[in-house]
Structure formats: C-alpha cells, structure tokens
Amino acid sequence: MPSSPAISVVVPLYNEEDNIVELQREIANALEGLDYELVLVDDGSTDATVSRVQRGDRVRLLEFEKNAGQSAAMHAGINGARGDVIVTLDGDLQNDPADIRPLIAKLDEGFDLVCGYRAKRKDTAFKRLQSKIANAVRSRFVGDNVRDTGCTLKVMRRECREALLLFHGMHRFIPALIGGMGWRVTELPVNHRPRIHGVSKYGFGNRAVRATMDMFGVRWLNSRRRTYRIKKSP
C-alpha cells in the first residue's frame, strides 16, 4: 500500500461490534477502484468491536487505552490520516458510504470542506426537533452557515486539519473552525439510515450545556484568529 493514499476514511468507533463488519464491506464497495486507506479509531470499546475489525493492507486501527470521547477519536484519526482528502463518517451505519464520492467531487468546484446534511433524518421526532433547534442556534451564533453539523459525514482537504484544536465537543464545530481559518465550506444532502444495531452514545442531556459553552469559546477563538500567506518567489 502506498505511504500516502489519495483518500483517508476516518471512522470513530465505540461499542459497534454488530456494525463494523458491514460498515467495512460498504466502504470497500463504495470506494472500489480508488486509492484509499481506512483509519478506524477505537474509543475504548468494551465489547468485541476491535476483534471484529477486518484487518488488511488498507486498514489502520488506532486503539485508545480508555474512552476519551468522539472529538478525541475524530481528532486522532484526522491527524493520523495520510491522504490528501480526508473523509469522516460514523461507525453506526446511519451514514451511507455511497455518499462519499459525490462529496469528494464537490471539492473539485473549489471547496475545502464539504459537509453532509441529513435531508430526511431517520430519528425520533424529539431528536429531530432538538437537533433542529441546536443547529439553528449554533449556526447563527458562530456563523458557520451549516444546517446540520451533527452529521459526521464530511470531506475535507488535508490542509484543513490545522484548524482543528482538540477540545471536548470539537466535532460539532468542525465547519466553524475550518471556515474561521478562511477555508471554503459548503454542504450537500446525504442519505440517513435508521440505527439497526446498538444504541446512540450521545444524548441531549450530556451535551446541551457543554455545547452552549463551547459556542462562546469557538466564537471568541474565531474572532481572534489571524491568517497569512507567504509571497511566492519571482
């Protein structure tokens, strides 16, 4: 396998023993013919997730010593990726790997980060409502102009990762952090599927207060950011 594949697919995993085999199969089918690596980050799973990972030349597995959270797993995978293009998606099969190619193609239009948004969410009415409110408040407050930052399915150029500072909740502010550095951000509708196996690890109660505090922090950070460009030699 080349030391620098064209595409890195980053998937954070936490107790997804019943999903990982099917997820790997779907990713392999969706990206057949492309030069890619699969970077799986196990966030301290306590089930059989790690033992069920299908090893291979394209697969890299990073294992945390203990559970550190989705943001930490995402950050580790993104920073460990070797591809020029980095794809992120959930390990619960609700994101559809078939959507990866259209998102990558959108980069060719001059964008640096392409965010999927779940046009037809397969969640409960309450979960959809709370997400809609949270996304509206966040987008207006931090100015990321993204309607569904909770959708993990995203595609970015590798250079964008320099904008991602690790903090608890970072994964919800990837568009704001990258856009705040001057990178071009857009979004595309993607398929969303109901969860079949396992349970959601992240609920409203354990994120609402922290997410509100994070908004203030991200807004302050982006207001203080500075960028520069080096002149090209004649």
Side-chain angles (χ1 to χ4, degrees):
M1 181 177 175
S3 59
S4 297
I7 302 165
S8 294
V9 180
V10 175
V11 185
L13 299 170
Y14 181 58
N15 291 346
E16 298 292 358
E17 62 181 2
D18 294 322
N19 294 318
I20 183 59
V21 174
E22 176 62 17
L23 178 65
Q24 287 191 250
R25 186 190 68 79
E26 289 191 13
I27 290 173
N29 289 341
L31 300 185
E32 185 176 3
L34 298 182
D35 176 25
Y36 74 94
E37 66 171 356
L38 178 59
V39 183
L40 303 174
V41 185
D42 182 71
D43 185 21
S45 292
T46 56
D47 64 0
T49 296
V50 171
S51 65
R52 293 185 182 179
V53 169
Q54 307 297 296
R55 310 299 175 111
D57 292 339
R58 293 187 182 275
V59 180
R60 296 167 56 209
L61 176 63
L62 308 179
E63 296 182 60
F64 285 180
E65 291 183 349
K66 60 181 181 180
N67 180 256
Q70 187 176 2
S71 289
M74 195 81 72
H75 189 271
I78 290 172
N79 279 276
R82 297 179 295 197
D84 293 327
V85 171
I86 300 174
V87 180
T88 62
L89 75 159
D90 274 332
D92 58 11
L93 290 175
Q94 289 196 266
N95 293 147
D96 188 346
D99 287 316
I100 294 175
R101 286 180 185 255
L103 294 178
I104 292 176
K106 195 70 176 177
L107 294 177
D108 293 335
E109 297 180 21
F111 295 102
D112 304 298
L113 169 65
V114 184
C115 305
Y117 69 88
R118 297 163 288 187
K120 296 180 179 179
R121 291 189 59 172
K122 306 300 182 182
D123 290 318
T124 64
F126 175 69
K127 193 169 184 178
R128 292 197 304 270
L129 176 61
Q130 71 182 39
S131 182
K132 185 175 181 178
I133 293 172
N135 275 304
V137 172
R138 186 216 67 258
S139 182
R140 183 176 181 84
F141 192 78
V142 301
D144 60 18
N145 297 314
V146 173
R147 73 193 76 184
D148 185 15
T149 191
C151 180
T152 303
L153 185 51
K154 297 177 175 67
V155 171
M156 71 183 75
R157 300 186 192 278
R158 182 170 58 184
E159 294 83 357
C160 292
R161 67 185 177 189
E162 69 185 56
L164 302 181
L165 305 176
L166 178 58
F167 58 90
H168 194 82
M170 176 210 74
H171 62 281
R172 289 188 290 268
F173 295 93
I174 288 176
L177 293 168
I178 291 177
M181 285 285 286
W183 300 104
R184 293 189 64 194
V185 179
T186 190
E187 53 186 351
L188 281 178
V190 295
N191 187 26
H192 188 241
R193 305 180 294 192
R195 176 184 267 275
I196 299 175
H197 303 293
V199 296
S200 175
K201 317 301 189 303
Y202 309 99
F204 181 74
N206 67 2
R207 69 186 180 186
V209 175
R210 283 184 295 197
T212 300
M213 295 174 63
D214 291 342
M215 283 194 302
F216 286 95
V218 170
R219 181 168 175 169
W220 175 86
L221 175 64
N222 280 343
S223 73
R224 303 296 292 171
R225 282 193 189 272
R226 293 295 179 266
T227 59
Y228 58 85
R229 293 184 181 181
I230 305 298
K231 278 186 178 181
K232 293 182 179 180
S233 301

